[in-house]
Amino acid sequence: MKKPYFSQTSLFILALCYFFSFSVKVLAQESAQFTDDELVGKIDYPKHPDFVKVDARYGTQGRVFYLRKATYEAFQKLHAAAKKEGISFTIVSASRNFTDQKNIWENKWQKLKHL
């Protein structure tokens, strides 16, 4: 029997709240340890000891994502719990280095300029 849409949606929202609250707690605990370079994305995520590469099955469009280890672990738990309830989702965005973020902003700015 298919579960009502409302319960799946409610569980999904609850799971997202848990994930984000956990991420905020992790960041708050680690915030004193962030360098200026980390805060503005001027780090090499593949080589940084606090970041891990996200398994391709969790990502979208064949993109490569990096998350802080504790955040990734929390996401994996959330993903497993959601899967048990028949809910699937993927990561569409994660840590960005300075160059990637600058390119996103400049592309958006160019579109706005032509309006």
Side-chain angles (χ1 to χ4, degrees):
M1 184 169 117
K2 190 172 180 176
K3 293 183 179 181
Y5 176 77
F6 177 76
S7 67
Q8 288 182 348
T9 303
S10 299
L11 177 65
F12 177 69
I13 292 169
L14 182 63
L16 280 178
C17 290
Y18 168 78
F19 174 67
F20 288 119
S21 68
F22 180 81
S23 295
V24 169
K25 288 178 188 174
V26 168
L27 290 176
Q29 291 168 355
E30 295 179 353
S31 65
Q33 300 170 14
F34 293 154
T35 65
D36 289 346
D37 284 343
E38 288 176 300
L39 293 173
V40 295
K42 291 188 176 182
I43 61 173
D44 187 358
Y45 292 111
K47 294 180 181 176
H48 196 286
D50 295 335
F51 287 83
V52 292
K53 183 178 177 182
V54 173
D55 189 292
R57 67 187 161 131
Y58 297 126
T60 57
Q61 306 163 354
R63 294 176 55 201
V64 176
F65 296 111
Y66 289 89
L67 291 173
R68 286 198 169 272
K69 290 176 184 177
T71 302
Y72 186 47
E73 290 168 4
F75 172 80
Q76 289 174 307
K77 289 177 185 175
L78 170 68
H79 189 273
K83 187 175 181 178
K84 287 179 183 177
E85 294 296 323
I87 300 169
S88 63
F89 55 93
T90 58
I91 296 173
V92 297
S93 184
S95 302
R96 300 184 191 121
N97 65 29
F98 181 83
T99 303
D100 291 340
Q101 186 62 43
K102 183 174 182 269
N103 289 336
I104 290 169
W105 170 251
E106 287 176 350
N107 288 335
K108 287 183 181 185
W109 177 251
Q110 288 302 318
K111 289 177 187 175
L112 289 173
K113 240 170 59 170
H114 298 295
L115 290 179

